[in-house]
Amino acid sequence: MSEFAGNVVVVTGASEGIGRALCEALAPQGPKLVLSARNEERLEALAATCRAAGAEVLVVPGDLTHEEACRSLVAATIAHFGRLDTLVANAGRTMWARVDEIEDLAIFREVMELNYFSVVNVTMAALPHLKASRGRIVPVASVAGLTGVPSRSGYCASKHALIGFFDSLRIELGDSGVTVTTICPDFVVTEIHRRALDGKGRPLGVTPMQESRIMTAAQCAELMIPAMAQRKRMLITSRRGKLGRFLKIFAPGLIDRIAAKAIADRK
Ligand SMILES: NC(=O)c1ccc[n+]([C@@H]2O[C@H](COP(=O)([O-])OP(=O)(O)OC[C@H]3O[C@@H](n4cnc5c(N)ncnc54)[C@H](OP(=O)(O)O)[C@@H]3O)[C@@H](O)[C@H]2O)c1
């Protein structure tokens, strides 16, 4: 039997990118998926695809920067499926501006609101149910949560905060049976780059990435599923990301240069 057959899996940020690809990849295992994001039309289209592939699906649209929406997502899951086994806290956004180009500090707050506070809110609402099911929490952070990246200061800060929160929560959870698998993707082809905020707080509108040179969302999802199934502590999706963990301690100047080159080369 597949690890996620019958498993109640809540996926935030399911309407696009990594969240969407993860739902599509999980669906053939027969999970009970709860799809969340703001765009209901896209969620319903994904729900139809996932049902056809073998999943039961509940769609719960909402803006997760509102605390009430985080609580409602968990409440709707429990009302419909009666339990919650896996929380994939994936909804996120980014920015693309050097610190000296930023005209409005609101950019930092907006990024932090979704990438950090919404994840904390939904996790706190889900925690009693995850303890009851000895479930999994799967926060989607980033390699930018492990090292600095130029033009991403606010994004890096939000992802460092996320990793710090979950490293602490993992210890608190001790032998509760609830595990934390932190996902740290390197660049992935998704909408996030087009939606990135510029120095004026406006979406870029076009992707700055060399999309043919970076991982697809489907490839990222294929790496995530075994890491989630095996309840691994952390998944880093690229070789340079894995190497960076060690370089940061032993050759921090080198990891700074690798991060600068990744942004300069846009891959
Ligand atoms: N792509 C990369 O290169 C990359 C690399 C490392 C880490 N990540 C992380 O991976 C996660 C997924 O990103 P992605 O690349 O798949 O981005 P994406 O394609 O832009 O998808 C982001 C998802 O978040 C949802 N979302 C945005 N604002 C929201 C809000 N206020 N409330 C609820 N949902 C909201 C979006 O749906 P709606 O617009 O319908 O709400 C969408 O489903 C993020 O946490 C990101 O930081 C991405």
Side-chain angles (χ1 to χ4, degrees):
M1 191 146 106
S2 306
E3 186 66 33
F4 292 99
N7 199 272
V8 178
V9 185
V10 173
V11 181
T12 72
S15 66
E16 305 271 6
I18 295 169
R20 180 184 176 87
L22 179 69
C23 295
E24 288 171 345
L26 278 173
Q29 293 195 26
K32 297 179 178 178
L33 291 174
V34 182
L35 312 181
S36 177
R38 292 165 304 178
N39 189 322
E40 188 169 2
E41 203 178 318
R42 280 179 172 274
L43 292 178
E44 289 295 352
L46 175 62
T49 306
C50 292
R51 284 186 189 112
E56 278 183 56
V57 185
L58 173 69
V59 168
V60 186
D63 181 340
L64 294 178
T65 60
H66 301 149
E67 211 173 315
E68 187 47 43
C70 298
R71 283 197 292 267
S72 299
L73 170 59
V74 172
T77 301
I78 299 303
H80 191 82
F81 287 126
R83 57 188 286 138
L84 201 174
D85 298 297
T86 304
L87 169 64
V88 184
N90 164 75
R93 65 187 314 190
T94 192
M95 54 172 289
W96 189 287
R98 292 170 52 92
V99 171
D100 56 14
E101 293 167 351
I102 290 173
E103 296 180 8
D104 187 349
L105 286 183
I107 293 168
F108 293 127
R109 291 209 175 84
E110 281 175 36
V111 169
M112 195 62 94
E113 204 58 61
L114 182 63
N115 293 6
Y116 178 67
F117 286 110
S118 84
V119 179
V120 170
N121 276 332
V122 80
T123 299
M124 288 183 68
L127 213 44
H129 307 288
L130 289 166
K131 283 181 179 163
S133 65
R134 300 175 72 82
R136 299 172 170 86
I137 312 174
V138 184
V140 179
S142 169
V143 290
L146 301 170
T147 191
V149 182
S151 80
R152 302 289 173 93
S153 55
Y155 179 72
C156 277
S158 71
K159 295 297 186 177
H160 275 74
L162 197 63
I163 290 176
F165 176 83
F166 281 105
D167 279 349
S168 307
L169 181 60
R170 182 188 290 110
I171 301 167
E172 289 182 17
L173 287 169
D175 58 4
S176 68
V178 183
T179 53
V180 176
T181 298
T182 304
I183 308 292
C184 294
D186 203 315
F187 291 133
V188 181
V189 180
T190 68
E191 289 305 305
I192 201 167
H193 309 292
R194 253 178 286 280
R195 292 172 158 199
L197 300 174
D198 69 11
K200 293 186 163 58
R202 301 169 308 202
L204 291 181
V206 288
T207 178
M209 306 308 302
Q210 288 203 51
E211 291 197 331
S212 61
R213 310 286 298 275
I214 61 179
M215 182 178 277
T216 65
Q219 288 169 324
C220 184
E222 288 304 332
L223 294 175
M224 286 171 69
I225 291 175
M228 290 163 56
Q230 293 158 28
R231 297 177 180 257
K232 290 215 164 128
R233 183 184 176 95
M234 182 175 276
L235 167 71
I236 301 175
T237 64
S238 66
R239 216 161 39 146
R240 71 178 170 194
K242 287 175 191 155
L243 192 64
R245 295 276 277 165
F246 298 98
L247 289 179
K248 193 161 186 210
I249 299 166
F250 298 112
L254 179 56
I255 187 65
D256 287 358
R257 289 197 289 282
I258 291 171
K261 186 165 167 19
I263 292 299
D265 294 349
R266 279 131 162 78
K267 65 178 170 62

